[in-house]
Amino acid sequence: LPLTRIRSIAKEDWDISTLGNEACVAISAATVAFMEVFAGEVAKRVAEDKRRSVTYKDVVRTVKGVEKLQFLEDIIPDKMKLGEALEEQKKFRAAVARKK
């Protein structure tokens, strides 16, 4: 992942003014490792169905079915209508704002 992107995310979401190079590299490496695990778990589900295309439904099923990924259930919910999704996003942002 580009270190500039990690820095910009950190500045937007965290109460920090600077992010050291070593910390930025560590966050990048951890993110890549996480994505490898996550993508691998999704790929297993798709292969079980003897398919090669990944759908949103596969991602949701993986999040629900793999215990170590269940922390993502609020971020990757079941498919819903746009109005419901926008309302959920509004609630999520309000909750995050209250924590700051």
Side-chain angles (χ1 to χ4, degrees):
L1 291 171
L3 299 182
T4 54
R5 180 68 181 131
I6 293 170
R7 286 183 200 287
S8 67
I9 291 169
K11 286 181 181 179
E12 288 176 18
D13 295 338
W14 302 338
D15 290 331
I16 59 171
S17 57
T18 60
L19 184 63
N21 285 337
E22 291 175 346
C24 200
V25 169
I27 291 169
S28 177
T31 303
V32 169
F34 170 76
M35 290 304 299
E36 288 173 351
V37 169
F38 188 32
E41 291 292 342
V42 173
K44 283 183 199 176
R45 302 294 176 290
V46 172
E48 288 170 1
D49 293 344
K50 297 182 171 82
R51 294 182 293 111
R52 294 180 59 163
S53 297
V54 176
T55 65
Y56 183 79
K57 187 175 179 179
D58 297 318
V59 176
V60 170
R61 188 171 59 139
T62 300
V63 167
K64 287 184 174 207
V66 178
E67 187 176 346
K68 63 185 173 187
L69 297 174
Q70 289 177 354
F71 73 96
L72 294 170
E73 284 182 326
D74 291 339
I75 299 168
I76 304 173
D78 287 325
K79 202 169 186 178
M80 62 180 74
K81 294 182 179 180
L82 178 60
E84 294 171 358
L86 292 173
E87 187 61 33
E88 287 293 320
Q89 182 182 44
K90 191 175 175 182
K91 289 178 187 176
F92 178 77
R93 287 185 175 171
V96 169
R98 282 193 300 269
K99 288 181 182 179
K100 286 185 178 182

